[in-house]
Amino acid sequence: MAFALLDRLEAHKKLSFDQWCEVLSDCDGPSFEEAKIRASAIAQKHFGRGIYIRGIVEFTNFCRNECHYCGLQKSRRDLVRYRLSQEEILSCCEAGYRLGLRTFVLQGGEDPGIDDAWLIALIGQLQSRFPDACITLSLGERSEQSYAALFAAGARRYLLRHETASHSLYRKLHGPTQSYFERLSCLYRLKALGYQTGAGMLIGPPGQSLEHLAEDFCFIQAFQPEMLGCGPFIPHAQTIYAHEPAGSVKRTLYVLSLCRLLLPDLLLPATTALATEDAHGYEEGIAHGCNVIMPNLTPRVSKMHYQLYNGVDCETSFEEALSRLKLRVTDLGYHLVFGRGDHPRFAQHKGRNA
Ligand code: SAM
């Protein structure tokens, strides 16, 4: 049968490793368009024509890690490092809140200069100023005690891409102090603590094969994340991958639609990396089943020093980005949704930053 594996994926929400390899290998065949049509219909069934908007604040670019693909890697001596103050972060969120945002994503490198006490104080301030907003963290790997303390303080979502579920590829892409097993353990800790948890992988970093992506899908179907960040790898001029080709936009879109088929109520962003590689990346992402967009609240001066890859837009203000997004999404027949936008399994929790 023509789309037997897509049928199976939709019906059972599970494929074997070999089946994932087979379905992934049809990216240039008829499955691409079919998966897109099905993914878009599933997203609309679960979320209507609404696209959740989150505001991201990149509040530190200090990082102790050596991810070979990333522009923030520790060994970069030329990079101006910054860390926003709590007041600066609060005023970024204030600007987003005034425009209607009710989810703030605080993201940064793994900054050894930021401890739990500082984060707990920040979360407390955010909660008292914006009691109906959801605080999402994306700060990398931390101890179980730290994740628990931040949850107790009021953080409710955590984004930690697994980057790749292949142990051998993980080793090639990361420095010797980083552990594949620790990264995965962090994800399981977050989930066990009650966070809405986001995993995710790069599409097309150097050395990635279809088998590696099949491993990602096997991990995702076992882990069942509430959120998933998937964007193309884009080279950064100051890294060892400066001259590597970027990940394929088409493959990224195909992966996104397969993610939607696997996890129908997933919070699935059309990522900035996708929009950087393709001028119509947001529209294409939505057409392939995405239902989240995360525009940037970071002040321009800091954004210039938070370039994970080449081509990051540092010029467009948040207000401008938001009004352009509104037009683009409306042109597609969709609309922006400014609520907290919890995962449906968590949406029944009401109350203070529940
Ligand atoms: N430090 C936190 C962490 O480890 O999860 C969050 C910040 S990290 C810079 C955010 C994400 O950027 C990573 O998970 C990675 O997938 C993505 N990223 C880094 N370099 C990239 C590149 N060259 N191309 C595309 N995405 C990249």
Side-chain angles (χ1 to χ4, degrees):
M1 254 210 324
F3 298 115
L5 283 180
L6 296 183
D7 292 344
R8 189 181 179 86
L9 175 56
E10 266 201 88
H12 301 288
K13 311 284 179 274
K14 197 175 174 97
L15 293 180
S16 69
F17 174 79
D18 288 342
Q19 289 167 335
W20 277 117
C21 289
E22 193 180 331
V23 86
L24 282 162
S25 69
D26 198 32
C27 180
D28 289 322
S31 299
F32 179 83
E33 207 53 35
E34 181 66 17
K36 170 184 173 180
I37 292 164
R38 294 187 189 198
S40 167
I42 294 169
Q44 286 183 50
K45 179 172 163 217
H46 287 266
F47 301 99
R49 288 190 155 243
I51 303 296
Y52 292 135
I53 284 291
R54 323 314 199 171
I56 183 160
V57 183
E58 299 156 337
F59 71 96
T60 173
N61 70 352
F62 284 89
C63 192
R64 64 179 173 185
N65 287 334
E66 198 58 30
C67 306
H68 300 316
Y69 46 83
C70 181
L72 305 189
Q73 58 191 232
K74 182 184 178 185
S75 62
R76 276 197 64 198
R77 301 275 171 247
D78 58 317
L79 180 64
V80 175
R81 302 281 173 175
Y82 72 89
R83 184 181 298 128
L84 298 186
S85 68
Q86 299 209 350
E87 260 324 304
E88 287 171 315
I89 297 169
L90 287 162
S91 78
C92 294
C93 295
E94 179 75 49
Y97 193 85
R98 267 191 267 113
L99 290 166
L101 259 66
R102 293 297 179 269
T103 285
F104 301 117
V105 182
L106 306 183
Q107 190 179 80
E110 282 191 23
D111 181 348
I114 285 182
D115 61 16
D116 287 350
W118 190 90
L119 286 167
I120 289 166
L122 173 64
I123 293 167
Q125 296 246 35
L126 286 165
Q127 284 209 74
S128 64
R129 287 214 208 168
F130 317 115
D132 54 342
C134 183
I135 299 162
T136 302
L137 302 177
S138 180
L139 310 171
E141 297 167 34
R142 302 180 76 84
S143 68
E144 179 154 14
Q145 294 91 310
S146 173
Y147 288 148
L150 302 177
F151 188 86
R156 284 296 177 268
R157 299 190 200 127
Y158 204 106
L159 305 176
L160 184 78
R161 292 183 178 186
H162 62 281
E163 312 295 4
T164 170
S166 153
H167 186 212
S168 60
L169 183 61
Y170 186 93
R171 281 272 47 88
K172 280 188 200 137
L173 296 175
H174 299 95
T177 61
Q178 291 168 259
S179 158
Y180 165 84
F181 298 105
E182 180 59 17
R183 189 130 189 121
L184 294 188
S185 299
C186 282
L187 279 165
Y188 282 99
R189 276 175 208 151
L190 289 161
K191 208 174 212 313
L193 284 165
Y195 282 96
Q196 296 175 52
T197 306
M201 60 277 192
L202 288 163
I203 309 299
Q208 186 185 59
S209 64
L210 284 189
E211 287 73 18
H212 292 138
L213 279 174
E215 286 187 70
D216 285 315
F217 275 104
C218 290
F219 167 70
I220 293 163
Q221 74 191 9
F223 183 69
Q224 298 278 308
E226 281 76 36
M227 306 174 282
L228 200 86
C230 279
F233 154 76
I234 305 175
H236 186 291
Q238 253 54 257
T239 67
I240 56 167
Y241 294 148
H243 303 295
E244 296 288 341
S248 146
V249 167
K250 185 168 188 195
R251 185 172 286 181
T252 304
L253 294 171
Y254 188 46
V255 163
L256 289 169
S257 57
L258 295 176
C259 289
R260 176 60 69 206
L261 265 56
L262 174 62
L263 297 170
D265 52 9
L266 182 68
L267 299 170
L268 183 65
T271 59
T272 311
L274 179 61
T276 303
E277 272 303 285
D278 183 333
H280 302 291
Y282 289 136
E283 289 85 346
E284 289 291 336
I286 292 168
H288 285 79
C290 292
N291 71 321
V292 176
I293 296 182
M294 298 172 29
N296 201 319
L297 284 165
T298 314
R300 183 178 166 276
V301 279
S302 309
K303 243 194 284 184
M304 280 164 42
H305 305 302
Y306 199 94
Q307 306 216 13
L308 311 177
Y309 42 77
N310 294 342
V312 175
D313 169 19
C314 301
E315 296 307 320
T316 314
S317 70
F318 181 77
E319 289 80 353
E320 180 60 26
L322 192 62
S323 63
R324 282 188 207 164
L325 267 178
K326 261 185 200 158
L327 289 176
R328 291 171 67 170
V329 164
T330 310
D331 277 352
L332 281 181
Y334 284 73
H335 58 274
L336 300 183
V337 176
F338 285 85
R340 290 170 52 101
D342 286 301
H343 185 279
R345 273 203 302 279
F346 289 73
Q348 71 277 20
H349 301 309
K350 294 271 184 284
R352 204 174 147 79
N353 197 35

